[in-house]
Amino acid sequence: MDTMERIRENYEEVRARMTDAAKRTGRTPEEVMLVAVTKTVTADVARMLYDLGQRVFGENRVQEAQKKRNALAELKEASWHMIGTLQTNKAKKAVQLFDVIHSVDRGHLADALEQQAAKLHRRMPVLVEVNVSGEASKHGVAPEQALQLVESLLMQPHLEAWGLMTMAPIEPNPESCRPYFAKLRELLESIKTRLTPGESFRHLSMGMTQDYEVAIEEGATMVRVGTALFRGIDRNA
Ligand SMILES: *Cc1c(COP(=O)(O)O)cnc(C)c1O
């Protein structure tokens, strides 16, 4: 099977599973955004997904994202999401390159993004990354600190607080991740009640290849999926 056929099959399967998971909890598939994580594939492979209708792409490194954006500049409807850890000294590049940043995990970074977004006269949608599991290897603020960081984002005129993001632990059984996703949803609800942050603060970015269906069942509005889309292809195609 050639690469395009393989990707079409993978893409259709992921979309179908997302639809089923959304329906199980009484939502429509349009309510859940697929962020196609292209960090392990070439720009040409990302373009195949675009040709199949995918519009939102996730990258975890500024430099790699810049290369892909340049190579794919003609894909006018594509939007690019930063999902990886961001160094403060890359804030300028990040604001130039990305449409949404999922990984704000400290006040310093928020300040740097605010400054750069102000210079470009744009508003930058951002999510706060939360370390729900408490694993030392994970980035993100502790759940108890999320409210404070969201509160500071709400005071930054060029940042738009969209919600919360998390990465669940690597687990052989996706059901084991359910409590972490439920916890992030409860945290979002509690912050909404306490801060009245406005309509745009409603997103839960959670779920990857191993656990995106469970994440959707627990209220994800964005899932970040890479591996499942690129199974069986030659990654250098
Ligand atoms: C790589 C990555 C993903 C996608 O993971 P897969 O298991 O390949 O679906 C999602 N989120 C973040 C932050 C990532 O770095």
Side-chain angles (χ1 to χ4, degrees), residues 37 39 60 83 165 167 208-209 224-227:
V37 179
K39 67 188 183 196
N60 68 342
I83 61 170
M165 179 270 224
M167 285 178 85
M208 334 199 316
T209 291
R224 310 176 309 268
V225 178
T227 308

Side-chain angles (χ1 to χ4, degrees), residues 51-98:
D51 291 340
L52 292 168
Q54 179 61 23
R55 290 295 177 266
V56 183
F57 298 89
E59 286 285 334
N60 68 342
R61 293 225 164 97
V62 169
Q63 214 131 20
E64 177 63 24
Q66 183 158 37
K67 275 204 311 204
K68 280 208 184 91
R69 264 206 104 141
N70 289 342
L72 299 173
E74 80 277 11
L75 308 183
K76 295 292 179 221
E77 290 174 21
S79 73
W80 295 88
H81 289 209
M82 176 59 177
I83 61 170
T85 309
L86 189 54
Q87 290 171 327
T88 307
N89 62 12
K90 301 251 171 77
K92 180 176 177 183
K93 276 259 154 65
V95 170
Q96 290 168 340
L97 275 173
F98 292 104

Side-chain angles (χ1 to χ4, degrees), residues 11-226:
Y11 186 58
E12 282 171 4
E13 179 175 342
V14 169
R15 283 288 185 191
R17 285 173 178 269
M18 286 178 63
T19 298
D20 289 347
K23 284 184 177 161
R24 283 198 290 278
T25 50
R27 293 193 294 161
T28 63
E30 293 74 33
E31 290 172 61
V32 188
M33 184 188 295
L34 172 61
V35 180
V37 179
T38 45
K39 67 188 183 196
T40 62
V41 297
T42 60
D44 285 338
V45 171
R47 183 186 289 108
M48 290 179 195
L49 271 180
Y50 187 92
D51 291 340
L52 292 168
Q54 179 61 23
R55 290 295 177 266
V56 183
F57 298 89
E59 286 285 334
N60 68 342
R61 293 225 164 97
V62 169
Q63 214 131 20
E64 177 63 24
Q66 183 158 37
K67 275 204 311 204
K68 280 208 184 91
R69 264 206 104 141
N70 289 342
L72 299 173
E74 80 277 11
L75 308 183
K76 295 292 179 221
E77 290 174 21
S79 73
W80 295 88
H81 289 209
M82 176 59 177
I83 61 170
T85 309
L86 189 54
Q87 290 171 327
T88 307
N89 62 12
K90 301 251 171 77
K92 180 176 177 183
K93 276 259 154 65
V95 170
Q96 290 168 340
L97 275 173
F98 292 104
D99 301 288
V100 182
I101 295 174
H102 289 232
S103 44
V104 175
D105 60 358
R106 57 203 190 276
H108 266 317
L109 176 60
D111 293 344
L113 293 170
E114 164 63 27
Q115 217 173 36
Q116 298 301 332
K119 277 189 195 158
L120 291 182
H121 307 287
R122 65 167 301 194
R123 280 196 96 197
M124 187 78 218
V126 296
L127 291 91
V128 167
E129 181 168 356
V130 184
N131 183 355
V132 177
S133 67
E135 287 175 294
S137 61
K138 291 268 190 293
H139 291 275
V141 294
E144 310 78 59
Q145 291 161 358
L147 180 119
Q148 197 189 350
L149 187 48
V150 172
E151 196 168 26
S152 77
L153 291 178
L154 294 173
M155 291 185 293
Q156 312 268 32
H158 298 87
L159 301 182
E160 195 169 303
W162 268 21
L164 306 177
M165 179 270 224
T166 200
M167 285 178 85
I170 305 296
E171 295 279 357
N173 178 0
E175 277 302 321
S176 316
C177 298
R178 192 179 291 279
Y180 303 109
F181 298 143
K183 193 163 172 194
L184 196 71
R185 185 190 61 235
E186 287 156 16
L187 189 57
L188 185 90
E189 291 310 322
S190 110
I191 292 174
K192 273 198 208 168
T193 311
R194 290 171 63 186
L195 296 181
T196 53
E199 285 291 298
S200 48
F201 188 81
R202 62 183 185 82
H203 284 287
L204 287 167
S205 168
M206 56 190 197
M208 334 199 316
T209 291
Q210 63 161 2
D211 51 27
Y212 67 94
E213 292 161 275
V214 172
I216 291 170
E217 288 171 6
E218 292 301 325
T221 65
M222 298 170 161
V223 290
R224 310 176 309 268
V225 178

